[in-house]
Every structure is written in structure tokens, then in C-alpha cells.
Amino acid sequence: MKYYIGVDIGGTNLKAGVVNDRGEIISESSIPTGADRPQDVVLHDILKAVHNSIEGAGGVDPKDIRALGVGSPGMIDSETGTVIYNNNLGWRNFAIAPKMSEALNLPVRLENDADAAALGEVVSGSAKGASSAMIITLGTGVGSGYVVDGKIYRGCEFGHMVISYGGRECTCGRHGCFEAYASATGLINMTKEAIRDNPDGILAGIAAKEGTVSGHTVFVAGEEGDTVALKVIDEYTGYLACGLVNIINGLHPEVISIGGGIGKQGERLLVPLRGKINAEVYGEVKESPAKIVSCTLGYKAGLIGAAMSVRDI
């Protein structure tokens, strides 16, 4: 049996795990990222998490561990193993893969975290066995990862394609980006606007009871038949469908898997979404050529995908 190590670097926690060549996690370790610390200090904890995962792997001989894959947010250069820029972590030109390779005496490859998560879903999750799959993560932003024939197609930033020219301002500085409308942040903003305009409705009451507005709030109100909430859901799924139809028309992926906090809504999200996609997709037969499903691996997708990205080393 061959083994690999996957590392998934998040803004809150960094995780490391030993994964076998079937994409099964044998052991894992998690440590708070401490994103406000210098990058070399964070690197020390990444190495600690790696060692902890190896120690927890039981009967796995460290000599059978072939390589290590790292999934990191931000702009990366996979060829040099460098995180070029990451605003949330404060990293600039961080040659993380060479540093880890030297410390561990293992080959190390760096991938974007969304790409790694996409590969994880293809190997072991919602898109298992698909010849091509686009994984869309609906969180603070919109992450996108594309896998073709079991390999990562690097450089997909579909969160920043414009779906509304001159529309809402995006955190990237442009206006009308897919991310500004389809992210959890976009949905929360729409929900807050609806509550402001309807302060005495069911939606406003649920938000007050929860003490906050999350991406979940509007779906709870929608389940109770609140017309304001249902209107927000209809608008949101329309924007989400618009971006996904662009992806389908351009790339024809076999599967699109929806993850992130909003993806957890499952069929409450997917049923109206599929209907809108089918109505808009290009072709005489109005049916999406892509299967639209929810991601199934959660945080494990990034860990598994990072590890599986080095199977060819």
C-alpha cells in the first residue's frame, strides 16, 4: 500500500493527514492556524501537524509515505511551490513547498486549496469517477476547482467572472462578479436587505431569534412559507444558475458539485437551482448536460485532494 500526506491550510485551522492510495484518511491532525503570526511560525505548526498525523497512523511505516501535497488559499505558483499572495493569512512570496520538502525529506507539491478540494471530491466524494467535474464552493467567496481525467486543471477563478455588468462591487475591486452575488456573503447581504425592507415579517423574526443573519436564515424562513424569504431564494438561485450555466456552456463538465456553507442546504437549494439551469442552458433540449449535486466530503475534501495530487510523484 502506498501512502501520502495531505495538508489543508485554512484561515482558522490547518490540517494534516496520512492518506492511502485509495483516498482513505488513515489519521489526521488539526492545529489552529493563527493567521496573524509570521508565515515561518505557521510553517512550524504545519510541520508539527504533519508529524502528529504520521505518529497517529499506527502501522504505517514512514518509509511507505511517498510524498506530500499542500492545499493553500491565495495565488500560488505550483511550479516553484510558492504562495505568491494571500491576503487573509498575510503571506507574500512564501516558498512553502521547498521549505517543507527540506524539513521532511519528502517531495512536496503545492496546489490551490479549491483545486485540491475538487480533486478530493472526484477521488472519493460527490463526483467520484467523473471524467470532468467542477467543484463550486459557496462560502465567504466563491471557490472553483476543475478536474479533468483525474488531474487538476489549474487557474480556474470563476468567482470573478462578471454576471452583471456594472453590478455590485466585489472584494476584488470589479463590479458584478459571480462572487458578489452567489457567495454566502452575497446571500447574507440580500437577506439583510429583505429584512430591512420587511422588518415585521417571518424572515426578520427568525433572524432576531437566531441573533444573526447567516446563509441558513433565509432557507429556514422559506421552509415556513415566508414569501419574502422565497423571493430572496428565487433571486439568489437565479444568480447562481446564471454563473453555472456560463460554466456548463463553456466547459461541459460531467458533474458540478456545490459545497461550502450554502451547499449544505442540499435539495432545498438544488431543486430550484436545477430548474433554472435547465431553462437557461444552451441547446434545443432544455436539460443540463451536467449533473448538479452537493459535495459530500466537507473539510476532508481538501485533505484527500492535497494528498492525491502527489500520486504521480
Side-chain angles (χ1 to χ4, degrees):
M1 180 74 71
K2 298 176 183 177
Y3 298 93
Y4 309 91
I5 295 174
V7 173
D8 181 46
I9 301 171
T12 303
N13 294 297
L14 56 91
K15 304 175 184 69
V18 176
V19 181
N20 66 22
D21 54 13
R22 293 195 295 264
E24 300 165 337
I25 297 175
I26 306 303
S27 69
E28 59 183 295
S29 174
S30 178
I31 293 178
T33 305
D36 56 340
R37 300 180 300 162
Q39 54 198 38
D40 282 327
V41 176
V42 177
L43 175 61
H44 176 270
D45 279 351
I46 295 173
L47 294 172
K48 180 179 178 181
V50 169
H51 286 300
N52 288 345
S53 68
I54 294 173
E55 290 174 3
V60 175
D61 188 335
K63 294 180 182 178
D64 291 332
I65 297 174
R66 301 299 184 90
L68 184 149
V70 181
S72 171
M75 292 178 59
I76 67 165
D77 182 342
S78 290
E79 295 301 317
T80 64
T82 301
V83 179
I84 303 298
Y85 171 80
N86 183 289
N87 184 60
N88 293 331
L89 296 175
W91 290 358
R92 303 290 187 277
N93 298 315
F94 184 21
I96 186 171
K99 289 175 181 286
M100 291 186 67
S101 181
E102 181 180 2
L104 297 167
N105 195 29
L106 281 173
V108 177
R109 176 178 289 158
L110 176 68
E111 298 286 358
N112 175 268
D113 60 343
D115 289 339
L119 182 58
E121 288 288 341
V122 169
V123 171
S124 302
S126 58
K128 186 174 183 178
S131 60
S132 60
M134 176 66 69
I135 312 301
I136 299 292
T137 305
L138 305 176
T140 303
V142 172
S144 55
Y146 190 39
V147 176
V148 181
D149 295 329
K151 294 185 178 181
I152 293 170
Y153 185 93
R154 298 187 181 112
C156 292
E157 278 291 350
F158 285 104
H160 297 287
M161 66 177 171
V162 170
I163 64 169
S164 179
Y165 180 70
R168 296 186 180 197
E169 185 175 4
C170 181
T171 55
C172 74
R174 299 180 75 201
H175 288 78
C177 287
F178 188 32
E179 180 169 297
Y181 294 88
S183 63
T185 304
L187 177 57
I188 289 168
N189 289 337
M190 291 179 202
T191 305
K192 287 179 177 178
E193 290 168 5
I195 291 171
R196 181 196 63 204
D197 295 339
N198 301 272
D200 300 319
I202 293 174
L203 179 59
I206 290 173
K209 184 178 179 180
E210 292 181 346
T212 187
V213 176
S214 69
H216 180 66
T217 306
V218 71
F219 289 97
V220 175
E223 286 286 291
E224 295 190 16
D226 179 48
T227 55
V228 173
L230 291 173
K231 184 177 179 181
V232 173
I233 293 170
D234 182 66
E235 180 183 7
Y236 173 75
T237 53
Y239 286 126
L240 181 55
C242 177
L244 296 183
V245 167
N246 290 342
I247 292 171
I248 292 168
N249 288 346
L251 296 177
H252 289 269
E254 183 180 342
V255 176
I256 294 180
S257 295
I258 310 295
I262 305 302
K264 293 178 182 178
Q265 297 302 321
E267 293 301 304
R268 292 198 294 189
L269 171 71
L270 297 184
V271 168
L273 180 62
R274 292 185 187 114
K276 289 180 170 62
I277 289 173
N278 287 344
E280 295 293 332
V281 75
Y282 180 76
E284 289 184 326
V285 178
K286 290 298 183 179
E287 184 175 353
S288 171
K291 183 179 179 182
I292 313 297
V293 299
S294 294
C295 291
T296 57
L297 294 179
Y299 79 87
K300 294 182 179 181
L303 201 63
I304 294 170
M308 294 295 93
S309 71
V310 293
R311 284 180 298 178
D312 62 339
I313 292 180

